C-alpha cells in the first residue's frame, strides 16, 4: 500500500481553499477580504487583459472600477494542478468568467472570458497565501445577447 503524506494532503486542501475563496470574494465585491488570501508583498499580473502588473492594493482599486461595469460576474474555476515544494507551491487553474452587463432597454449582454491563473504560494505563520498571480487570456467573446427561456 502506498504511503499517504497527510501533510501534503492538508497543504493541497489549504491551497485549494484559497483558490476557491478568491472568486467568491471577487464576485461578491468583498475585495478588502482579499488581504487575507495574499501576502503583503504579493505581485499580480493582469497585463494580458490590459490590467495592472502591480501589488494587491492597486489590483483591488482596478477591480473595484471594472466590476462596477457589470451587473453580475461569475468566476468558474476548473481543477487546479498544484505542485508542492516544502513551504512553497505553484498552481495552474483554468477559469471561465461570464460577466453580465444590463442594457438601458432592460436586456442584458454577456461577456465570456476564458483564462488561466498561474499562481505561486508561500506558507506563512497564518497559513498558505498567494505570493503571485498571473492571469493569461485564453479567449473572450463580447456582446452575447440575453435570450429569454421559453417553456
Amino acid at each position: 500500500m502506498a504511503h499517504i503524506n497527510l501533510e501534503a494532503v492538508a497543504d493541497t486542501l489549504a491551497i485549494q481553499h484559497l483558490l476557491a475563496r478568491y472568486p467568491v470574494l471577487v464576485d461578491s465585491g468583498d475585495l478588502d477580504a482579499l488581504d487575507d488570501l495574499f501576502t503583503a508583498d504579493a505581485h499580480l499580473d493582469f497585463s494580458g487583459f490590459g490590467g495592472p502588473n502591480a501589488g494587491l492594493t492597486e489590483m483591488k482599486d482596478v477591480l473595484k472600477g471594472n466590476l462596477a461595469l457589470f451587473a453580475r460576474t461569475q468566476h468558474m474555476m476548473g481543477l487546479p494542478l498544484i505542485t508542492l515544494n516544502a513551504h512553497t507551491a505553484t498552481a495552474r487553474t483554468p477559469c471561465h468568467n461570464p460577466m453580465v452587463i444590463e442594457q438601458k432597454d432592460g436586456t442584458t449582454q454577456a461577456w465570456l472570458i476564458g483564462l488561466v491563473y498561474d499562481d505561486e504560494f508561500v506558507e506563512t505563520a497564518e497559513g498558505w497565501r498567494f505570493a503571485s498571480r498571473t492571469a493569461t487570456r485564453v479567449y473572450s467573446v463580447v456582446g452575447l445577447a440575453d435570450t429569454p427561456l421559453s417553456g
Side-chain angles (χ1 to χ4, degrees), residues 33-44:
L34 292 175
D35 293 347
D36 295 335
L37 305 185
F38 289 84
T39 61
D41 62 348
H43 184 84
L44 296 96

Side-chain angles (χ1 to χ4, degrees), residues 37-73:
L37 305 185
F38 289 84
T39 61
D41 62 348
H43 184 84
L44 296 96
D45 182 358
F46 282 57
S47 59
F49 291 91
N53 186 354
L56 182 59
T57 300
E58 183 178 344
M59 180 59 72
K60 289 189 313 185
D61 290 342
V62 169
L63 283 172
K64 285 176 187 174
N66 288 345
L67 291 174
L69 302 172
F70 301 99
R72 292 175 302 285
T73 64

Side-chain angles (χ1 to χ4, degrees):
M1 179 187 281
H3 173 72
I4 297 175
N5 182 335
L6 294 180
E7 185 176 342
V9 171
D11 290 341
T12 299
L13 289 173
I15 291 168
Q16 286 177 342
H17 183 73
L18 284 176
L19 291 166
R21 281 191 64 205
Y22 176 86
V24 170
L25 296 175
V26 170
D27 292 334
S28 69
D30 190 5
L31 301 178
D32 288 333
L34 292 175
D35 293 347
D36 295 335
L37 305 185
F38 289 84
T39 61
D41 62 348
H43 184 84
L44 296 96
D45 182 358
F46 282 57
S47 59
F49 291 91
N53 186 354
L56 182 59
T57 300
E58 183 178 344
M59 180 59 72
K60 289 189 313 185
D61 290 342
V62 169
L63 283 172
K64 285 176 187 174
N66 288 345
L67 291 174
L69 302 172
F70 301 99
R72 292 175 302 285
T73 64
Q74 185 179 34
H75 289 73
M76 297 184 290
M77 307 300 281
L79 293 174
L81 177 59
I82 298 170
T83 303
L84 298 172
N85 184 16
H87 301 289
T88 63
T90 60
R92 176 166 258 229
T93 309
C95 177
H96 176 72
N97 179 208
M99 300 182 294
V100 176
I101 300 172
E102 291 183 354
Q103 305 295 311
K104 291 180 181 177
D105 65 2
T107 61
T108 58
Q109 283 191 334
W111 290 17
L112 303 178
I113 298 175
L115 62 140
V116 174
Y117 289 114
D118 287 300
D119 299 309
E120 295 178 357
F121 303 91
V122 63
E123 189 174 21
T124 71
E126 295 80 30
W128 285 94
R129 298 291 184 264
F130 286 93
S132 73
R133 167 160 269 197
T134 300
T136 303
R137 182 190 310 251
V138 176
Y139 65 86
S140 57
V141 180
V142 177
L144 297 175
D146 184 18
T147 322
L149 297 175
S150 58

